[in-house]
Structure formats: structure tokens, C-alpha cells
Amino acid sequence: MSEPIVGRMLIDGKLVGGLGDQWLDSVDPVDESIIGRVPLGTRDDVEAAVVAADAAQKAWVDVDIKERSALIYKLADALEARAKEISELETRDTGNTIGPMLRDVHTAADRMRLYAGLGYEIKGQTIPATAGGLHVTTRVPFGIVGRIIPFNHPVAFAASRLAPALMSGNSIIIKPSEQSPLSACVLAEIYADLIPPGLVNIVTGDAETGAAIVRHPKIRRLAFIGSVSTGMAIQRAAAEVAVKTVTLELGGKNPMIVCPDADLDAVAAAAVRGMNFAWQGQSCGSTSRLLLHNEIHDKVLEKVVERVAKLKIGNPLDPSVNMGPMNSKAQLEKTLNYIQIAHQEGARIAYGGHRPVGGEFEKGYWVEPTVLSDVKMSMRVAKEEIFGPVLSVFRWSDLDEAIEMANNVDYGLTAAIWTKDIDRALYLARKVESGYLWINTVGTHFRNVPYGGLKNSGVGTEEGLDEMLSYTQIKAINFAA
């Protein structure tokens, strides 16, 4: 067995340990072995990052868009040059399967290049407020951006999300998840010699480290991807120290509504694909609620179970494996608990529902891909996000009933609609309360299409032009005649 990796933080252009000389272990969810450790960043480490970021941003704001763009392209190329190494490390650190992890690296580079090309769209307006005067607006950066990254797509979010902040003239401090921080340390190694010192800082640590970023008065722009409870805590903590702009991409309990005229084989394939079993269901956009019309319910459920039963569970580094272990013991216990609750409340376990058996599954955070049928909206699994490989199947008979079921949750992130009737598709698209909808497809995030949720699923959007503009503030300038 190889020696555990020792990660370093990136502060002021230097790869450093924590000032407190404390460390966090990173565990392989396959066998619970320690595969690495990273510094436990302290408030003093965050302060050092802020000082460096502040100095770097004052110089960066005067750099032309062309030069900013050239740097982002260089960073994207450097990231892809180590794509194989990063994806293998992330697979070991997260439990996610190797294929999607490799795509994550390339997707991150693609999104970085997208923002490098959108830089010239950071522009203001001329306003005809008076006949003789000149009234214009310009966009200015916030200064320092704080971004907190979740465990499920570590480098994809860390790398791609720094691009719009930098293109807008900001510096950035990134805090990766303590559950899967190792790839961020590789990112620190890659970028240490490519980026002006202090422009990008990566501070590893736990919730207290994140709180120090959130509460620092000089960090006026915060972005977070993660759970609703943590997002709300960030809003509260930020408001206690300063007026800050906070964007949140949070959880989802996402419906896939299937009408009786849909292609049933395509629906079954999409239902399994949309559940993101390759991430063990640990993806906020997963369509974890399958709403089937009565006429087709039994046929589709049978097809879905057949497909789920064929998923291969095992070591996620094996390209033939479809699903690995849960990210952590806490995620495993949460998932198994929800399955038990669902069964107690009357849902039927159509497939899975247990830990797999066998020698390779004796250690690690394993659970079978699970399909629950006979789920009612009165059940907890119908409304609460599990963030595990559990697909809940519902029946409906009337279109308005399906809309009510889809909307009767606190979330509103994604939704999928399956029908060949364009009028019905447009009606459902208007009525379903979700920020990102698919019609007769599922799962794909399209380039430059804004991604974000309604209700408790978040504030603001990412992945499009609006994300880059959200890292700017509007300044109005008025010239007298």
C-alpha cells in the first residue's frame, strides 16, 4: 500500500502547512484506509490568505481582459495535463467512479475556457437620463471572493468556479470539503507557479475554517455549493459581520414526470442515468423522484428495476464498475436510515436497500442501488433529500396531481419532463417549480446555460454568463453637460 499523500495549502503563492500544525486525515471509502492528510487551516491561515488576496487583487484589477483570459487558458491546459492523475486521486478520495471523475476534469477545463472567452461581456450601459449629460454604468469587482466546495465534484467546482471570479477582476480563496480535499492540494501544486502570488489561495480545513472565511469582513462576496442547512448558516453568519453578497447552489428533491405517451425504454434508461448512480446518488441535480402515470407505471418500474439490477458495484477505479461506495460513514448511515424509514412508512423496496455482501464489501461505505415503489407524498423520503442512491417511484393519474406532487417540496433545483406532446411539455415547464428543466432528456449540464434553483435550492445561478457578472457590482458615473 502506498504512503498517504501529504497535501499543502496555497497561500500567497507558496505551498504551506497550517500555522496550527494540525492535520485532517482523508479516508478511502472503499476500505476505510487513510490515503492522505491535509492541513487543518486556522483563522490565522485564513487571515494570511486574505492579506495575500487583497494585495494581489489590487494589482489584478488593472490587468487587461486579454491578459486575464490568457492566464485562464493556461490554467485550463495545466489542469488537463494532469487529468488522469487527478481523476484517479479523486476516485479514491470520493468513492465516485473513475469515468465521471475523468470527465469532471475535462468539464472543468472546458468551463474555464468558456469564461476566458466571455470576458469582454463584462460591460456597462449608456443611459439617456438627461439631454445634455452623459450617464454610464461600469462593472467593478468585489475584491476578494470566498468559495466553499462540496465533496462530490471537488476539482470540477474548485477549478471551474475560480475562472469567472478571476475574469471579473477578483482574487479568490477556495476552501475544499474536508471529506475529499486531496485534489484541491494537487490543484494548489499545479497553480503555484502559474498564478500571481495571492490571486488564488486554497485553504483546507473543517467547518471552523469555512466559518472564518464566511465571517471575514474583507471577503464581501461568498459562493457556496452544498446542503440547505449549511447554506442558511452561511447566510446568518455572513450577515452578522457585514453586508455581503452570497450565492448558494443547494440541494434538490428533483422530479422526473413521465406522461403515458413517452418512449418507455428511453424513460427507463433516463431514470437510471438521472439518478447519478455513478456518484452513488450524491449529486444535487439527481432526479430522485420518478413520477409515473398510472397507465405506464408497472411497465416502467419493471424496466427500471431490470436496469438497476445490472449495475455493477465495486472498486470505483475499475472502468467496468457502475457504482462505488458512499463518500463517508455518515452518508452511508444516513442513506440506510432513510431506506428503513421508507419501509416503515409503507414504501416497498423494489430493489436493493441493503449493504452488499461479499469479501470486498466487509470494509468501506457500501450500499446497494435502491428503488422504492409505492411511495406517497406523506412519507419523509418523498420530501427530504437523501443524497444517496435511492430512487423513489410515485403514481399519478391527473396532470395537475403530478404538478402538485412535483412542487410539494421545499426544493426547486432540477426537473425532467417526458412527453411527445409539445403543448403538455410547455405547460409542465411553466408550472413545475424548478430552476433547471430537461424535456425528453436528463442529467446534462449544457455550456453557458445558467444552472441554479428556486425555493430552498439556492440563490443565484452558475455555469453561465450570469455567474461571471455576479462577481461584479454596478457603478454609475454621471457627467454634467
Side-chain angles (χ1 to χ4, degrees):
M1 185 177 294
S2 59
E3 289 293 317
I5 296 165
V6 178
R8 301 286 177 176
M9 301 189 292
L10 177 62
I11 298 178
D12 199 16
K14 303 178 184 66
L15 297 173
V16 298
L19 292 172
D21 197 27
Q22 293 182 289
W23 298 81
L24 292 171
D25 289 335
S26 195
V27 175
D28 187 336
V30 168
D31 58 11
E32 303 175 55
S33 62
I34 295 174
I35 57 173
R37 63 175 191 162
V38 300
L40 175 58
T42 65
R43 188 177 300 274
D44 289 338
D45 292 307
V46 171
E47 181 62 35
V50 169
V51 171
D54 189 41
Q57 193 274 331
K58 285 179 169 59
W60 181 248
V61 72
D62 292 327
V63 172
D64 288 344
I65 291 293
K66 180 180 179 180
E67 294 176 52
R68 295 180 196 174
S69 178
L71 176 62
I72 299 300
Y73 276 114
K74 186 185 297 185
L75 299 182
D77 291 344
L79 177 69
E80 281 199 306
R82 294 177 67 173
K84 183 175 184 294
E85 171 195 353
I86 293 171
S87 61
E88 290 176 353
L89 179 60
E90 286 212 316
T91 298
R92 295 187 67 201
D93 205 18
T94 64
N96 300 336
T97 53
I98 184 65
M101 287 295 93
L102 183 59
R103 288 197 298 273
D104 261 11
V105 180
H106 292 298
T107 295
D110 285 347
R111 287 178 179 157
M112 294 173 76
R113 296 182 184 112
L114 168 68
Y115 286 111
L118 286 175
Y120 289 103
E121 293 303 309
I122 305 172
K123 54 193 178 185
Q125 295 178 312
T126 301
I127 303 166
T130 60
L134 180 62
H135 310 273
V136 300
T137 64
T138 185
R139 289 184 176 272
V140 298
F142 282 87
I144 306 172
V145 171
R147 179 169 270 284
I148 299 175
I149 304 296
F151 69 78
N152 54 345
H153 299 277
V155 81
F157 289 145
S160 67
R161 300 312 201 255
L162 67 82
L166 296 189
M167 285 303 300
S168 303
N170 302 279
S171 58
I172 189 168
I173 300 173
I174 297 170
K175 190 265 174 189
S177 169
E178 58 267 37
Q179 293 171 287
S180 48
L182 297 180
S183 63
C185 294
V186 175
L187 196 66
E189 294 175 9
I190 296 171
Y191 290 172
D193 297 326
L194 297 177
I195 296 176
L199 189 61
V200 174
N201 301 272
I202 299 175
V203 181
T204 55
D206 59 10
E208 291 301 314
T209 315
I213 293 172
V214 169
R215 298 181 66 86
H216 199 290
K218 281 197 172 182
I219 303 176
R220 305 305 289 260
R221 174 71 171 87
L222 296 166
F224 170 74
I225 302 175
S227 70
V228 173
S229 59
T230 303
M232 294 173 70
I234 287 172
Q235 285 182 316
R236 288 192 296 269
E240 289 176 355
V241 294
V243 176
K244 302 192 179 196
T245 298
V246 181
T247 53
L248 306 169
E249 198 262 89
L250 306 176
K253 193 69 179 176
N254 309 299
M256 177 169 159
I257 303 173
V258 184
C259 299
D261 63 338
D263 181 325
L264 302 192
D265 288 325
V267 163
V272 177
R273 185 171 72 251
M275 190 56 238
N276 290 317
F277 286 110
W279 281 274
Q280 298 73 251
Q282 297 168 133
S283 191
C284 55
S286 300
T287 44
S288 58
R289 293 190 296 149
L290 182 58
L291 279 55
L292 301 175
H293 189 274
N294 271 328
E295 289 182 16
I296 58 168
H297 175 277
D298 294 350
K299 290 181 180 179
V300 174
L301 176 59
E302 181 181 359
K303 291 176 182 290
V304 167
V305 169
E306 286 177 359
R307 287 179 174 271
V308 172
K310 293 177 182 178
L311 295 176
K312 181 179 178 181
I313 311 171
N315 191 324
L317 285 169
D318 180 348
S320 70
V321 163
N322 305 115
M323 192 177 111
M326 303 293 290
N327 180 264
S328 66
K329 183 178 180 181
Q331 286 297 122
L332 172 64
E333 290 176 346
K334 177 183 176 183
T335 299
L336 291 172
N337 185 49
Y338 267 110
I339 293 170
Q340 182 180 18
I341 290 170
H343 183 60
Q344 290 171 348
E345 291 184 338
R348 182 173 70 87
I349 299 176
Y351 186 83
H354 305 91
R355 284 188 62 115
V357 295
E360 67 179 304
F361 304 120
E362 288 183 4
K363 291 184 177 180
Y365 311 130
W366 302 94
V367 64
E368 295 171 324
T370 299
V371 180
L372 301 176
S373 63
D374 300 330
V375 181
K376 306 292 191 297
M377 285 305 298
S378 58
M379 299 177 183
R380 286 182 61 185
V381 291
K383 296 187 176 183
E384 299 177 16
E385 185 182 38
I386 300 173
F387 220 61
V390 181
L391 178 64
S392 299
V393 183
F394 303 73
R395 291 178 180 268
W396 61 273
S397 56
D398 176 79
L399 205 57
D400 289 333
E401 178 189 9
I403 294 168
E404 171 64 22
M405 293 168 70
N407 293 341
N408 191 20
V409 293
D410 292 332
Y411 302 97
L413 186 53
T414 71
I417 296 162
W418 285 76
T419 178
K420 296 176 183 177
D421 186 324
I422 185 64
D423 291 333
R424 183 185 293 133
L426 292 173
Y427 177 74
L428 285 167
R430 289 197 307 270
K431 294 295 184 179
V432 172
E433 296 169 349
S434 295
Y436 198 93
L437 289 93
W438 297 282
I439 297 177
N440 294 331
T441 186
V442 72
T444 303
H445 289 225
F446 298 97
R447 295 294 178 268
N448 204 25
V449 177
Y451 184 86
L454 310 180
K455 301 190 287 190
N456 277 3
S457 286
V459 177
T461 61
E462 301 190 334
E463 301 182 10
L465 174 61
D466 286 346
E467 179 182 3
M468 185 168 65
L469 298 182
S470 78
Y471 290 111
T472 67
Q473 303 172 91
I474 294 176
K475 178 185 286 189
I477 305 171
N478 299 279
F479 295 86

